[in-house]
Amino acid sequence: MGRDWKRLADAVEAARDAKDLTQVALAALAGVSESTVQNLESGAERKRVPASLHRVERALGWAPGSGEQVLDGGDPELQEESAPPPSDLPLRIVQELQDGPLLDTTVLDLSPLGSGARMIVVVKGAPDASPEQIRADLLAWAKAQRHLQNLGEDDDPDEAAN
């Protein structure tokens, strides 16, 4: 049995309309190009599932794998609702905050760099990450965190201005 690309196109369009999103808005929310959304909604036959489908699923509020379920004749599953993030964040950041397991957070004080600002870092894992991948992600984050915390230690803001 072949995949039903028209069924997926109709489901994506219906979900987008239900959220009162234009193709441009859905593309921005998903972090994909407008042509990606247009291609999905065209219903054109494909040999393989586009890698960007999981981003569109997230933006539509579908659970991971829902696009393939629709292609195979099923219905999309809705992602469990979590507490809404602050409404003043860009839509793309809101979507990223809702996706994947939370691995760590930190607040970095930027005063050593001559600023009164803070940097807020949220580390999210892949939605389907294995325990091994999560461990690797946490090690990568620990390395990046050391670099971030060392920013400004060798720099003197007064010297840099001269």
Side-chain angles (χ1 to χ4, degrees), residues 27-40:
L29 187 61
V32 300
S33 68
E34 181 183 356
S35 63
T36 296
V37 174
Q38 291 170 343
N39 288 336
L40 279 174

Side-chain angles (χ1 to χ4, degrees), residues 33-93:
S33 68
E34 181 183 356
S35 63
T36 296
V37 174
Q38 291 170 343
N39 288 336
L40 279 174
E41 289 188 7
S42 75
E45 294 287 325
R46 299 167 189 257
K47 292 185 183 202
R48 35 181 192 176
V49 176
S52 57
L53 181 57
H54 74 279
R55 291 175 161 221
V56 173
E57 287 173 343
R58 279 189 318 213
L60 292 173
W62 292 356
S66 288
E68 293 207 42
Q69 283 179 211
V70 173
L71 283 170
D72 293 335
D75 293 320
E77 292 179 36
L78 295 181
Q79 185 74 34
E80 285 186 33
E81 292 291 325
S82 58
S87 61
D88 59 342
L89 293 174
L91 288 176
R92 188 167 182 191
I93 299 301

Side-chain angles (χ1 to χ4, degrees), residues 5 26 30 39 71 89 92 97 104 125 129 131-132 153:
W5 293 97
L26 175 58
N39 288 336
L71 283 170
L89 293 174
R92 188 167 182 191
L97 288 172
D104 197 9
E132 294 80 22
E153 285 187 3

Side-chain angles (χ1 to χ4, degrees), residues 19-161:
K19 291 186 168 290
D20 200 26
L21 296 170
T22 64
Q23 288 182 335
V24 172
L26 175 58
L29 187 61
V32 300
S33 68
E34 181 183 356
S35 63
T36 296
V37 174
Q38 291 170 343
N39 288 336
L40 279 174
E41 289 188 7
S42 75
E45 294 287 325
R46 299 167 189 257
K47 292 185 183 202
R48 35 181 192 176
V49 176
S52 57
L53 181 57
H54 74 279
R55 291 175 161 221
V56 173
E57 287 173 343
R58 279 189 318 213
L60 292 173
W62 292 356
S66 288
E68 293 207 42
Q69 283 179 211
V70 173
L71 283 170
D72 293 335
D75 293 320
E77 292 179 36
L78 295 181
Q79 185 74 34
E80 285 186 33
E81 292 291 325
S82 58
S87 61
D88 59 342
L89 293 174
L91 288 176
R92 188 167 182 191
I93 299 301
V94 169
Q95 192 65 39
E96 289 294 330
L97 288 172
Q98 293 173 345
D99 187 41
L102 176 67
L103 301 181
D104 197 9
T105 62
T106 193
V107 178
L108 299 174
D109 179 10
L110 299 181
S111 60
L113 298 172
S115 170
R118 296 174 316 243
M119 178 187 295
I120 300 165
V121 180
V122 178
V123 183
K124 301 285 283 197
D128 55 352
S130 67
E132 294 80 22
Q133 182 60 51
I134 291 173
R135 272 193 294 283
D137 293 342
L138 286 170
L139 288 172
W141 162 236
K143 185 176 180 179
Q145 189 175 25
R146 283 192 299 274
H147 287 291
L148 287 171
Q149 288 172 335
N150 291 331
L151 285 177
E153 285 187 3
D154 296 332
D155 299 335
D156 182 355
D158 295 330
E159 279 184 23

